[in-house]
Amino acid sequence: QVQLVQSGAEVKKPGASVKVSCKASGYTFTAYHLHWVRQAPGQGLEWMGWINPNSGGTVYAQMFQGRVTMTRDTSITAAYMELSRLRSDDTAVYYCARELTSGAVHYAFEIWGQGTMVTVSS
Amino acid sequence: QSALTQPASVSGSPGQSITISCTGTSRDVGNYNLVSWYQQHPGKAPNLMIYEVNKRPSGVSDRFSGSKSGNTASLTISGLQAEDEADYYCCSYAGSSTFEVFGGGTKLTVL
């Protein structure tokens, strides 16, 4: 079945970086864009950006520009989201989510990973 | 403060219908038919319920419907069931500078 499986929870100190992985299976990895969305505890959803697994092209939300890097490894059908210069308000669950439609970005997030809790604390 | 405005909470009894509004601006909801809605149960990842304003993904009940008028999108759930109790988020494309914005979420309580 189509699924996205993310890496486990992380605890980081302020100023450090975190890299979250998202392993895809059950579909053609390069055919669908992958988005990253985060959710702080008790808060709403926040879109971070997307990666085109075919070309490696990326688009990032303005508030994360310069701190976020999204990459992929097609040989193992995995995508990665690295966030640097972590602050306490980066504490959140980070989700990867696959587009509904192949080859297009319609911002319809059909398949979601289980989420990765990232805690930033000194 | 979220870019799209949703009511914090709505409630309804089983069998009733409810509507959740999502108010944006002419730069997002009013300008693009790329509004989607997500259902999220506690501790779970969101589920896509509606995309492109009023389309349902395969497997989503036809009790869920979406619409848009001007800068406001709406999600209607008819024949409320206990399992519909969850948080609901709207989301809209907002152009090639901002890209994507979410609403603050609405907690639906089934009485």
Side-chain angles (χ1 to χ4, degrees), chain A residues 11-24:
Chain A
V11 179
K12 296 292 183 181
K13 293 193 182 304
S17 297
V18 68
K19 191 171 185 177
V20 179
S21 69
C22 173
K23 167 76 172 161

Side-chain angles (χ1 to χ4, degrees), chain A residues 39 62 100 106-107 109, chain B residues 38 40 51-52 93 97 100:
Chain A
Q39 185 172 34
Q62 280 185 343
L100 173 70
H106 290 174
Y107 297 92
F109 314 135
Chain B
Y38 299 86
Q40 186 179 35
Y51 68 101
E52 292 176 11
Y93 181 65
S97 177
E100 191 72 354

Side-chain angles (χ1 to χ4, degrees), chain A residues 29-60:
Chain A
F29 177 67
T30 51
Y32 296 80
H33 288 65
L34 279 172
H35 299 258
W36 290 87
V37 176
R38 76 177 185 179
Q39 185 172 34
Q43 302 300 311
L45 301 169
E46 184 172 37
W47 179 80
M48 300 180 69
W50 58 250
I51 182 167
N52 178 342
N54 187 39
S55 66
T58 55
V59 162
Y60 302 139

